[in-house]
Amino acid sequence: MGKKITVDSATLFNKGLEVIEAHYLYVADYENIEIVIHPQSIIHSMVETQDSSILAQLRWPDMRLPILYTKSRPDRIYSSEITWPSLDLCKLGSLTFKAPDNVKYPSMELAYAAGRAGGTMTGVLSAANEKAVEMFINEQIGYLDIFKVVELTCNKHQAELVSSPSLEEIVHYDLWARDYAATLQFSAGLRPALV
């Protein structure tokens, strides 16, 4: 899926960004959105209904199916065993779940905070993360500095937060976040010593 998504998966920023997406897609309060870590990556989403039953979407980890569905929605397209082998739950064995470690992965708390702040903060979080990941891939900062860059950028943006932004303001603060995040590798002393 590419370097960016791989790093987001390692930092769990992907989960934090998905919380913000779920808030807007399902008009759900942040208090009603819970992150659960599922190491097998077989269950891609679960929704608890009013009657307390839980509906889950299960599949081997592969982005081809979500992409296919986005192209065919609301219909489902037949796919053969050759294209997508069946999910054999007996061979899989077990499905496990655990709570996220917010100390080890502060990305999720940063995303919840940005989401609750609303307005331009969610775009700033996303843009700062994209820039921080780019800097990490280019070996300008270390892995743990990704969290620092995003947090410092969001903290700096607090003073200029726009609650109901126009499209122009959203674009402006996206670019601002990228520029500000890029300066942190030097001014905050985050650039790692290259050996």
Side-chain angles (χ1 to χ4, degrees):
M1 291 187 23
K3 292 179 181 180
K4 166 70 167 64
I5 302 301
T6 300
V7 174
D8 278 352
S9 295
T11 60
L12 294 184
F13 260 109
N14 63 331
K15 298 298 177 205
L17 294 168
E18 288 167 359
V19 165
I20 295 168
E21 290 172 3
H23 168 76
Y24 287 105
L25 287 174
Y26 302 110
V27 193
D29 291 334
Y30 285 101
E31 290 71 30
N32 295 328
I33 303 169
E34 181 182 358
I35 296 173
V36 177
I37 306 301
H38 171 51
Q40 293 82 18
S41 298
I42 297 298
I43 298 179
H44 301 287
S45 63
M46 294 190 303
V47 177
E48 185 174 357
T49 64
Q50 294 181 97
D51 66 5
S52 76
S53 62
I54 297 177
L55 306 174
Q57 192 271 324
L58 290 78
R59 195 71 192 141
W60 294 117
D62 187 327
M63 286 305 294
R64 292 178 299 167
L65 191 60
I67 292 167
L68 177 67
Y69 184 60
T70 61
K71 292 181 160 217
S72 65
R73 184 183 176 275
D75 299 319
R76 297 280 182 168
I77 295 176
Y78 173 79
S79 59
S80 73
E81 276 290 314
I82 296 168
T83 311
W84 279 288
S86 290
L87 182 62
D88 187 336
L89 295 176
C90 292
K91 284 184 182 175
L92 178 64
S94 63
L95 302 174
T96 58
F97 308 93
K98 62 182 181 177
D101 182 343
N102 290 323
V103 174
K104 189 174 181 182
Y105 302 99
S107 50
M108 293 167 287
E109 286 186 350
L110 288 169
Y112 272 102
R116 288 184 178 110
T120 50
M121 190 60 79
T122 55
V124 165
L125 173 99
S126 179
N129 177 58
E130 286 185 20
K131 187 62 181 179
V133 170
E134 176 188 313
M135 293 187 312
F136 170 72
I137 290 169
N138 292 332
E139 299 181 359
Q140 296 170 306
I141 63 172
Y143 173 80
L144 295 176
D145 296 328
I146 295 170
F147 306 109
K148 295 175 191 173
V149 168
V150 175
E151 181 177 20
L152 290 169
T153 304
C154 289
N155 288 346
K156 180 71 173 176
H157 181 60
Q158 285 286 359
E160 296 184 37
L161 175 69
V162 179
S163 296
S164 297
S166 65
L167 178 59
E168 291 77 18
E169 288 169 317
I170 292 169
V171 170
H172 167 77
Y173 284 109
D174 176 278
L175 295 172
W176 171 87
R178 293 168 196 277
D179 290 343
Y180 183 79
T183 66
L184 290 174
Q185 64 179 311
F186 302 104
S187 64
L190 297 177
R191 188 173 186 158
L194 299 175
V195 180

